[in-house]
Amino acid sequence: MPTINANRVGRIVGITNSSFSTARTSDSGTATDGPTGSLSVQFFVGRGAHRFTRAFIHFDTSSITGTVTAAHIDIQGGSTIQGDPNDTILIKSTAFGGDGGTAISTSDMFSSLDYSTAYSTELTTWSTSNNEYTLTSAALSDIQNNNDFTVAVIMHDSDFQNTATAATEDIQIDFNTTITLDYTLAPSGYSHKVSGVASGSIAKVNTVATASIGKINTVD
């Protein structure tokens, strides 16, 4: 399974506000391009105050050709494990100027997010070791068709669901560890039956790998 390392990583700590909606939708706060150490992604709530912290990751997917059939993103947890609630999800983002060429900025905090496009399934556990997000069909399509693939790591129950939960949600990411994208491509080569055997069950024809076969007996 081929692997691509994250090209750029950023983190934004949003404003603290008594209004859940204002805190969630504000393009203000403190942005860090290339953060280091164990840092939180979080929805904080306490004494009537709300604050969101989000992480952003860009991958250069220009080298990917063919049909992407599966993919996942691996993120190392920070040194401290946070208890429930800590459900997270990846969604589509246009942060880093859309192409990874621009440092993260506070203007990416909310305006870069596409809540209608979930890039992963909900991750309901978090650990201090590897945390694996299984990517959705929307993510596979964008990885396959675009040169740039940017995700935002956000809390699921509060941020993604747009719900003012009663408890703080929190995870820690080890930003000193490389975040990776692993993907699987569909087999290429001759795609028809040979002697009644489906192509998916054939690895070679007369010792030649199917990926290297365009035609058999002049038949595509």
Side-chain angles (χ1 to χ4, degrees), residues 11-190:
R11 177 176 177 265
I12 305 176
V13 180
I15 63 168
T16 301
N17 197 278
S18 59
S19 165
F20 172 86
S21 177
T22 299
R24 181 173 179 266
T25 61
S26 174
D27 278 328
S28 300
T30 303
T32 304
D33 196 59
T36 58
S38 295
L39 300 173
S40 290
V41 169
Q42 182 189 74
F43 165 63
F44 169 80
V45 57
R47 296 187 177 183
H50 307 85
R51 184 182 66 245
F52 291 84
T53 302
R54 302 172 180 130
F56 301 82
I57 310 160
H58 173 267
F59 296 92
D60 180 349
T61 52
S62 59
S63 63
I64 298 177
T65 59
T67 302
V68 180
T69 60
H72 63 262
I73 288 177
D74 291 324
I75 300 177
Q76 184 78 11
S79 57
T80 301
I81 185 67
Q82 308 296 328
D84 285 333
N86 57 14
D87 297 359
T88 54
I89 194 168
L90 307 181
I91 65 172
K92 185 174 184 175
S93 173
T94 57
F96 308 109
D99 61 0
T102 304
I104 198 76
S105 69
T106 55
S107 61
D108 293 322
M109 179 58 173
F110 179 76
S111 295
S112 77
L113 302 179
D114 180 356
Y115 285 94
S116 67
T117 305
Y119 268 166
S120 78
T121 55
E122 177 187 359
L123 191 64
T124 58
T125 61
W126 193 259
S127 75
T128 56
S129 56
N130 185 59
N131 298 278
E132 183 173 294
Y133 289 90
T134 300
L135 301 191
T136 62
S137 59
L140 303 186
S141 177
D142 284 350
I143 291 170
Q144 176 180 311
N145 297 318
N146 301 325
N147 292 332
D148 301 284
F149 181 69
T150 305
V151 306
V153 186
I154 66 172
M155 303 312 301
H156 177 273
D157 295 351
S158 56
D159 201 352
F160 184 69
Q161 300 280 31
N162 193 17
T163 300
T165 55
T168 293
E169 298 180 280
D170 197 3
I171 63 166
Q172 275 196 352
I173 293 176
D174 179 6
F175 286 101
N176 291 333
T177 302
T178 302
I179 298 172
T180 59
L181 166 65
D182 297 328
Y183 62 95
T184 301
L185 295 178
S188 60
Y190 196 72

